[in-house]
């Protein structure tokens, strides 16, 4: 049972344009959502997060939007840069879940110069 | 500052051989610790997590086991490796007392190839 889904395995965007990465979840008990960025042969690094009591969180070029009714969140990167090319993982946690974090399958972003 | 170490970085093992991967965290105490596996072309699969010494929770039935002999040490083991155990193994920890318990910090990973 995939509780966190990233249905797009890859995304290609032109440098300077917006990148939108999507994520859907099924467990309504999730109350914290995170995005991680991963380069090949390295561990993921934390990018941005959002609590379930908010619908938007912004950090520089990165904005995460949460639509609780649709159980959907998205990561916007504006403007996209070639250095943003990586795999992006969506993740979710529940306070009742013992601090377990469930990850999606990831979306590989290619930003073309 | 906190750091997380994993070793070895790469490992090639024959089918049926044992496995021991080690993870240690520095600069913090009583962290939650996690083992994940990323198979080729797949996402991150949570294998084990631990909230304290000797406390291990297993997420999926498999050929692997985990142990936490010390507060900041987490070990992933197998008695007999299978081909399907190949993948990129990641250790992670969360700083429970920082108010950001949800953010996980990952180690550099171990690339395991079972032949």
């Amino acid at each position: 049972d995939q509780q966190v889904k990233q249905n797009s395995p890859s995304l290609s965007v032109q440098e300077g344009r917006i990148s939108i990465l999507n994520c859907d979840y099924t467990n309504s008990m999730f109350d914290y959502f995170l995005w991680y960025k991963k380069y090949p042969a390295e561990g993921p690094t934390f990018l941005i997060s959002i609590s379930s009591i908010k619908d938007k969180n912004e950090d520089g070029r990165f904005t995460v939007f949460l639509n609780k009714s649709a159980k959907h969140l998205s990561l916007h990167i504006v403007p996209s840069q070639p250095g943003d090319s990586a795999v992006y993982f969506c993740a979710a946690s529940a306070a009742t879940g013992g601090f377990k974090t469930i990850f999606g399958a990831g979306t590989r972003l290619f930003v073309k110069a | 500052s906190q750091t997380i170490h994993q070793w070895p970085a790469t490992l090639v093992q024959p089918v049926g051989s044992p496995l021991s991967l080690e993870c240690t965290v520095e600069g913090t105490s009583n962290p939650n610790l996690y083992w994940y596996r990323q198979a080729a072309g797949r996402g991150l699969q949570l294998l084990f997590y631990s909230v304290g010494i000797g406390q291990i929770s297993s997420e999926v039935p498999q050929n692997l086991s985990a142990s936490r002999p010390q507060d900041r040490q987490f070990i992933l083991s197998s008695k007999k490796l299978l081909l399907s155990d190949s993948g990129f193994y990641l250790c992670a920890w969360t700083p429970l007392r920082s108010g950001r318990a949800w953010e996980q910090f990952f180690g550099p990973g171990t690339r395991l190839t079972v032949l």
Side-chain angles (χ1 to χ4, degrees):
Chain A
D1 176 30
Q2 256 188 308
Q3 298 185 60
V4 178
K5 300 178 184 179
Q6 293 177 260
N7 293 319
S8 299
S10 65
L11 174 68
S12 185
V13 173
Q14 198 68 35
E15 180 180 9
R17 305 295 293 268
I18 184 172
S19 295
I20 300 177
L21 296 96
N22 294 302
C23 178
D24 298 293
Y25 63 95
T26 57
N27 189 343
S28 57
M29 298 299 291
F30 287 142
D31 47 20
Y32 212 79
F33 304 90
L34 310 95
W35 285 94
Y36 287 82
K37 178 179 180 180
K38 184 183 182 300
Y39 293 114
E42 295 182 7
T45 54
F46 170 76
L47 191 58
I48 192 170
S49 63
I50 189 168
S51 165
S52 60
I53 63 174
K54 296 185 177 181
D55 54 20
K56 177 182 175 181
N57 187 26
E58 192 172 352
D59 184 1
R61 296 186 297 113
F62 302 91
T63 303
V64 56
F65 296 92
L66 175 63
N67 183 334
K68 284 186 66 177
S69 61
K71 293 191 174 67
H72 177 83
L73 65 153
S74 60
L75 174 67
H76 293 212
I77 307 174
V78 182
S80 301
Q81 299 173 354
D84 295 330
S85 298
V87 176
Y88 289 79
F89 288 100
C90 172
S93 296
T96 56
F99 300 108
K100 287 190 303 183
T101 301
I102 307 300
F103 285 80
T107 296
R108 183 174 296 279
L109 174 66
F110 299 93
V111 180
K112 298 174 290 186
Chain B
S1 63
Q2 301 90 359
T3 55
I4 178 169
H5 303 278
Q6 276 187 254
W7 65 91
T10 60
L11 191 60
V12 180
Q13 291 284 97
V15 170
S17 64
L19 172 74
S20 181
L21 302 181
E22 190 160 345
C23 170
T24 59
V25 181
E26 296 178 355
T28 188
S29 59
N30 197 29
N32 267 14
L33 295 170
Y34 306 82
W35 277 112
Y36 290 88
R37 176 172 60 202
Q38 184 184 18
R42 304 286 296 276
L44 295 176
Q45 180 186 32
L46 178 62
L47 303 175
F48 301 95
Y49 73 98
S50 171
V51 299
I53 296 174
Q55 301 179 61
I56 309 294
S57 295
S58 174
E59 288 301 296
V60 292
Q62 60 205 321
N63 185 41
L64 303 169
S65 62
S67 62
R68 185 170 178 175
Q70 300 180 45
D71 180 46
R72 289 168 289 176
Q73 184 185 30
F74 206 22
I75 297 172
L76 183 69
S77 304
S78 174
K79 292 182 178 178
K80 289 186 177 182
L81 283 169
L82 306 172
L83 287 174
S84 57
D85 291 325
S86 293
F88 191 53
Y89 287 82
L90 290 156
C91 181
W93 69 282
T94 55
L96 288 181
R97 295 193 175 90
S98 74
R100 298 178 67 178
W102 313 111
E103 179 181 336
Q104 295 191 343
F105 296 91
F106 286 83
T110 295
R111 171 72 61 192
L112 172 65
T113 304
V114 182
L115 301 175

